[in-house]
Amino acid sequence: MSSATPSTSIASRILMVLATILTAAAMLAGLANFELLNGNRFAGHADDIRKDPAVASALGVVVTDKIITANTNLAALRPLVQSTTTSVIESDAAGPVFRSAVRPLHQYLTSDSDSQVLLQAADIAAISISALKEFKPDLVASVPDNLDVTFSSIGSQSFAAHTLQAARWVRVLSWLLPLLAALCLLAAVLMGRRTWRSAGFTVGRVLLWAAGVFAAIISLGVIANTIFTPTGLVPAVASAAWSTMVVPTAILTLIVGFAGLVLIACARTLPVRNLREFDQWALRAARSRPTTPAGWGVRVVALGLLGVLMVLRPAMVIQFLVALAGVALVAYVLAEVLVAGYEAALRRGLAPKAVASIRRYGARVLAALAAVALLVSVAVFAWPQSTSIAAETGPADQRCNGWVQLCDRPYNDVSFEASHNSMSALDENYFLAEQPTGIIGQLNAGVRVFLIDSWYGQSTNRPGVIANSDATRAQAVAQANETFGASTVQSALRLRNSLNVKPEGPIGLYLCHELCELGATDWPKVMSQVKTWMDQHPREVVTFFVQDIVKPADVATMLGDVGLLDKVYTPPAKGQDWASLGQMISSGKRLVWLHENEADTAAYPWMLYGPQWSQDTEYTNPSVASFSCAIKRGEPDNPIFLMNHWLSGFGSLQADAKKVNARSVLLPLAQKCEQERGQIPNYVAVNYYNLGDLKSVVQTLNGLD
């Protein structure tokens, strides 16, 4: 062991300061590489900025100015125009269009690949304008003389020279700065005391200092963002951009800071005697007053910033402290387990050599693990990022319900996969289930139309059992007896141990196949999940056809509570063409809602009354031979055609579904019904959608195979 001289000690401290600066800079470069150069994450951040109320409002002002400049007659309607443009800008419906525009722009600014769509389009435009000037000068008389030069500049990316250079530097610095920081740390350790303890302290302190710099930046940025209200487009975008980066920046800060703490903890317990020593040291350090002016200043500033944040953003501080406490608790539990194991082995005299090795090398192993975790983090943040954006968020995905060919078709000219009694699912423990998975599982599998039954239900004296409300129970029992048979219902209730259930909880909205004791789904909960799914799949049109006991007003309230009311579609008057799938997706109105029994269309125009809007086929078919295309309910000119295609009875649900869903059975019947009824089967509803060939049959009906 060698001791450091005063000169080497000073040099070591200078190197530690330099390493801290390089580490903080490396964190910044890694964050920029990971979050901004990656196409998908950049598109997500850009979309979050677009939806920020301040940005949308500022953009609304800019767009309104342009509109009124182009048409001065609209000046008197400025408040209405501005409100409308702002709403459109921040709406979910604008997301796909906006992300489609972001994709080529991001590639243009960050990648010098010659295969970019924007560059190719610019070059084509430049060549076309030059050719037209030469051969058809009269056609381009109003085109600016230098427009072809401008497009050529875009094609050569001279417009993006600065951003391209910055992107190149970010890619280089994201791995070069961590390497330089590591070299400085190595030099600092070699010039100081060359011990494992000294190395742990040196690296740990540098990491903590760098994390502290970032924590101070985050705190000051959050405070400034809270105090100052941005005015104008550029300040609003800057403020929103900062908000989108707070979380990833905080995560990176926690990673680096926690790695520093682990290394210091390991350094203090070399060799391992008791990891609880570190707990005692940490508590003393937190309570004691710093002995140096620098330490006192850092502590005062840190506590001051924390206090200001607690006043301005208490919720954010609480979330951060809870996360920090969780990390500390996990670390404490791990330390206690290690200590307990070490002490138990020591008391029992087990494997003295192994115990001695743990005592001597245990902390070093922990330190090595922390170092490996840190290196993995560096690799993740420094890894070259793809500038391409996933198809579902870019212009490459202009599909509607999975197919470009469907975008221009009116909704009522499209065939959809539909599930009968969609809520009655095996994986949700329904008695005599008619589908393999619940509604979200069906959405993921391609089903887009859901035939469901709604009831009022209550929790009961038997945990986990839902019963129909007193007002609807007699009706539910009668329908269940008719559907399943009285003896089957009694057997099922005995199996569910629910013959004598007593409803006692508050009345809620549930999906049940007649009797809720035989299976129940919390309706608001599943619709909230549907809302999340639709947000994640912005180019999908979804339909619910409800056999309703629940009143229209309660349904409307539920859809409002879960955030789906802004997605419901109201068709034009009967006899007029419905919107195409593409138009529904662009408008954001891509949820179609029908009721079988009651629909208050005066109060809720989007709530379509099934008998007025749909026509269907027989739904009680005992055999394949009994299937018919004859009309069962509705009028022949109703625009929606529901084809009911399952066998009645519950003795062989899956075997029946596999038989009737087979292409050889389902397709000829669907084509026959289309010919006889003069209407494509819009909803092809089956049991066990996963058995047979429903998907391929629907594709054939849509002319997609």
Side-chain angles (χ1 to χ4, degrees):
M1 182 184 299
S2 63
S3 59
T5 65
S7 59
T8 57
S9 178
I10 293 173
S12 177
R13 292 180 181 180
I14 293 173
L15 286 169
M16 288 175 65
V17 172
L18 182 59
T20 301
I21 296 171
L22 289 171
T23 301
M27 292 169 65
L28 184 62
L31 198 66
N33 179 64
F34 190 73
E35 296 291 342
L36 300 182
L37 296 191
N38 182 280
N40 287 322
R41 280 186 286 273
F42 180 86
H45 293 316
D47 205 32
D48 289 338
I49 292 170
R50 170 190 64 84
K51 291 186 288 188
D52 183 89
V55 173
S57 178
L59 275 173
V61 172
V62 173
V63 174
T64 301
D65 289 341
K66 297 291 185 183
I67 293 173
I68 293 177
T69 299
N71 189 344
T72 55
N73 293 327
L74 294 175
L77 300 177
R78 182 183 180 90
L80 177 61
V81 174
Q82 186 170 326
S83 174
T84 303
T85 55
T86 300
S87 299
V88 170
I89 288 168
E90 65 181 340
S91 69
D92 291 337
V97 177
F98 179 80
R99 290 190 294 269
S100 295
V102 166
R103 178 180 179 269
L105 178 62
H106 180 264
Q107 283 194 321
Y108 178 75
L109 295 175
T110 60
S111 173
D112 52 7
S113 170
D114 291 335
S115 62
Q116 292 182 42
V117 174
L118 184 60
L119 303 189
Q120 293 173 349
D123 285 335
I124 291 171
I127 295 170
S128 300
I129 292 171
S130 297
L132 286 173
K133 284 182 177 180
E134 184 70 27
F135 299 107
K136 293 287 185 179
D138 54 316
L139 293 179
V140 291
S142 60
V143 174
D145 291 337
N146 63 342
L147 190 59
D148 53 340
V149 178
T150 301
F151 276 118
S152 296
S153 299
I154 294 174
S156 66
Q157 285 189 289
S158 60
F159 276 23
H162 296 299
T163 58
L164 285 172
Q165 188 65 23
R168 295 188 192 103
W169 272 110
V170 166
R171 293 188 182 98
V172 172
L173 292 177
S174 61
W175 62 263
L176 180 60
L177 288 174
L179 179 61
L180 294 176
L183 292 174
C184 286
L185 282 172
L186 178 61
V189 170
L190 293 177
M191 296 186 72
R193 294 191 178 124
R194 302 179 187 179
T195 65
W196 285 106
R197 183 189 294 270
S198 174
F201 272 121
T202 299
V203 178
R205 284 171 178 169
V206 165
L207 293 179
L208 277 180
W209 291 343
V213 170
F214 258 60
I217 293 173
I218 294 172
S219 301
L220 291 172
V222 170
I223 292 171
N225 228 13
T226 305
I227 293 176
F228 301 108
T229 302
T231 56
L233 181 57
V234 174
V237 170
S239 175
W242 166 255
S243 297
T244 65
M245 294 302 296
V246 166
V247 171
T249 305
I251 291 173
L252 179 59
T253 301
L254 283 174
I255 292 173
V256 174
F258 186 66
L261 280 175
V262 170
L263 290 172
I264 292 177
C266 294
R268 289 195 64 83
T269 55
L270 277 170
V272 172
R273 290 182 183 148
N274 193 339
L275 286 174
R276 296 190 185 97
E277 292 178 0
F278 180 72
D279 300 336
Q280 298 165 4
W281 168 82
L283 290 174
R284 286 197 304 271
R287 291 195 302 261
S288 62
R289 184 184 181 118
T291 57
T292 64
W296 178 86
V298 169
R299 181 173 180 172
V300 167
V301 171
L303 292 177
L305 288 174
L306 181 61
V308 173
L309 285 173
M310 291 177 73
V311 172
L312 297 177
R313 300 289 293 273
M316 188 193 75
V317 174
I318 290 172
Q319 289 177 339
F320 175 77
L321 292 178
V322 168
L324 194 61
V327 172
L329 187 61
V330 170
Y332 174 78
V333 169
L334 290 175
E336 285 295 304
V337 171
L338 289 172
V339 169
Y342 169 72
E343 291 177 345
L346 196 62
R347 285 195 304 271
R348 298 181 183 181
L350 299 176
K353 290 183 179 180
V355 171
S357 297
I358 292 174
R359 179 175 177 177
R360 185 174 182 184
Y361 299 112
R364 297 179 188 178
V365 172
L366 288 176
L369 290 175
V372 169
L374 191 65
L375 288 174
V376 170
S377 300
V378 170
V380 168
F381 281 91
W383 195 263
Q385 300 294 310
S386 171
T387 60
S388 62
I389 297 176
E392 63 269 21
T393 60
D397 189 358
Q398 294 298 327
R399 297 173 292 179
C400 301
N401 281 43
W403 299 88
V404 174
Q405 296 92 320
L406 298 181
C407 289
D408 293 331
R409 293 190 196 174
Y411 173 91
N412 58 318
D413 283 342
V414 177
S415 184
F416 301 91
E417 297 174 49
S419 59
H420 169 236
N421 285 330
S422 310
M423 68 286 162
S424 178
L426 280 175
D427 66 352
E428 297 194 7
N429 201 29
Y430 273 74
F431 181 75
L432 296 176
E434 292 169 81
Q435 303 298 338
T437 64
I439 288 173
I440 301 304
Q442 294 174 44
L443 280 168
N444 290 330
V447 176
R448 293 295 177 265
V449 178
F450 302 92
L451 279 55
I452 57 176
D453 298 356
S454 68
W455 292 84
Y456 292 103
Q458 294 175 268
S459 56
T460 67
N461 56 321
R462 298 189 181 278
V465 175
I466 302 298
N468 300 79
S469 64
D470 287 338
T472 62
R473 184 167 176 77
Q475 180 182 1
V477 171
Q479 290 188 16
N481 287 338
E482 182 181 351
T483 300
F484 300 109
S487 60
T488 301
V489 170
Q490 293 299 308
S491 297
L493 291 177
R494 281 193 293 272
L495 287 172
R496 289 290 172 97
N497 196 23
S498 55
L499 279 169
N500 299 311
V501 297
K502 296 179 181 179
E504 57 187 15
I507 295 177
L509 310 186
Y510 290 88
L511 301 180
C512 311
H513 192 192
E514 323 296 10
L515 202 58
C516 290
E517 288 94 319
L518 305 184
T521 299
D522 186 320
W523 198 11
K525 181 178 179 181
V526 77
M527 293 313 298
S528 179
Q529 295 170 345
V530 169
K531 197 267 183 187
T532 299
W533 189 93
M534 292 185 71
D535 288 343
Q536 294 171 348
H537 300 80
R539 300 196 64 81
E540 299 291 332
V541 176
V542 176
T543 302
F544 281 85
F545 202 142
V546 187
Q547 182 179 322
D548 49 308
I549 299 301
V550 174
K551 297 299 181 184
D554 293 332
V555 174
T557 298
M558 175 197 67
L559 293 180
D561 289 342
V562 302
L564 279 172
L565 269 184
D566 64 340
K567 287 183 168 59
V568 291
Y569 171 74
T570 303
K574 190 174 175 181
Q576 299 181 20
D577 289 338
W578 285 42
S580 67
L581 294 194
Q583 290 169 332
M584 295 172 72
I585 289 168
S586 296
S587 69
K589 306 295 184 180
R590 50 194 180 90
L591 175 61
V592 177
W593 198 271
L594 299 100
H595 276 206
E596 183 175 314
N597 299 325
E598 182 182 358
D600 188 350
T601 55
Y604 315 110
W606 49 266
M607 189 180 291
L608 309 182
Y609 183 43
Q612 292 180 348
W613 287 94
S614 70
Q615 50 178 298
D616 70 353
T617 59
E618 178 61 58
Y619 53 84
T620 56
N621 294 291
S623 66
V624 173
S626 63
F627 281 126
S628 167
C629 296
I631 193 166
K632 172 70 174 178
R633 295 171 295 188
E635 299 298 328
D637 61 344
N638 287 351
I640 300 300
F641 177 18
L642 164 60
M643 178 176 162
N644 299 310
H645 192 78
W646 59 87
L647 296 181
S648 52
F650 295 87
S652 53
L653 280 168
Q654 294 192 42
D656 288 346
K658 188 173 183 179
K659 176 168 59 178
V660 303
N661 295 352
R663 186 178 180 88
S664 59
V665 176
L666 181 55
L667 181 59
L669 180 64
Q671 291 173 330
K672 176 186 176 186
C673 291
E674 181 177 7
Q675 183 177 8
E676 289 186 10
R677 302 281 280 268
Q679 168 72 10
I680 189 173
N682 300 110
Y683 308 156
V684 182
V686 302
N687 287 339
Y688 283 95
Y689 67 88
N690 61 316
L691 301 177
D693 305 294
L694 173 64
K695 186 179 293 292
S696 69
V697 167
V698 168
Q699 289 177 5
T700 298
L701 292 174
N702 285 323
L704 299 172
D705 56 2

